[in-house]
Amino acid sequence: MAKRSKIVRNRRRAELVARYAERRAELTAIIASPRADATEKAAARRELDRQPRDASASRLRNRDAVDGRPRGFLRAFGVSRVRFRELAHGGYLPGLRKSSW
């Protein structure tokens, strides 16, 4: 179980990312555009730099949906490897079967 503060902080970051996502996309499009002149690009870069640091999507951490474990995250299921094993053995993941050879 991850610390409650880490889980809450990540959730708050996700809300911040969602709030700024549209404007960040506009600014990055201006910066990447070959048609924008240097002053427009510089202004877009300054505005992007003024935004909160946690508004960047790269600062989000994939965490287990059940207990918040940050490592061993399996994207297809939204849980960590430990929780995945428990759910698979318990029969809670349809279509999965324990293999042996």
Side-chain angles (χ1 to χ4, degrees):
M1 178 79 186
K3 289 170 61 173
R4 178 70 57 205
S5 60
K6 294 285 187 179
I7 296 169
V8 171
R9 183 183 302 160
N10 201 48
R11 201 171 296 138
R12 206 174 308 130
R13 278 183 182 154
E15 293 168 1
L16 204 60
V17 167
R19 189 179 325 143
Y20 284 91
E22 187 177 343
R23 185 61 184 152
R24 286 184 74 85
E26 293 170 2
L27 292 172
T28 52
I30 291 170
I31 292 168
S33 172
R35 287 181 288 195
D37 62 342
T39 57
E40 284 179 323
K41 288 184 179 190
R45 183 76 244 171
R46 277 194 304 275
E47 186 178 342
L48 199 60
D49 288 341
R50 279 196 309 268
Q51 288 186 350
R53 182 180 267 184
D54 284 342
S56 173
S58 64
R59 293 186 56 101
L60 288 177
R61 179 76 187 201
N62 287 329
R63 289 188 173 271
D64 188 319
V66 179
D67 66 359
R69 180 181 165 85
R71 306 279 176 125
F73 181 79
L74 301 173
R75 285 177 186 237
F77 299 95
V79 294
S80 68
R81 60 181 179 78
V82 176
R83 182 76 48 203
F84 175 78
R85 184 178 168 91
E86 290 174 4
L87 293 174
H89 282 288
Y92 296 110
L93 298 175
L96 284 181
R97 190 187 273 192
K98 186 173 186 292
S99 66
S100 61
W101 59 87

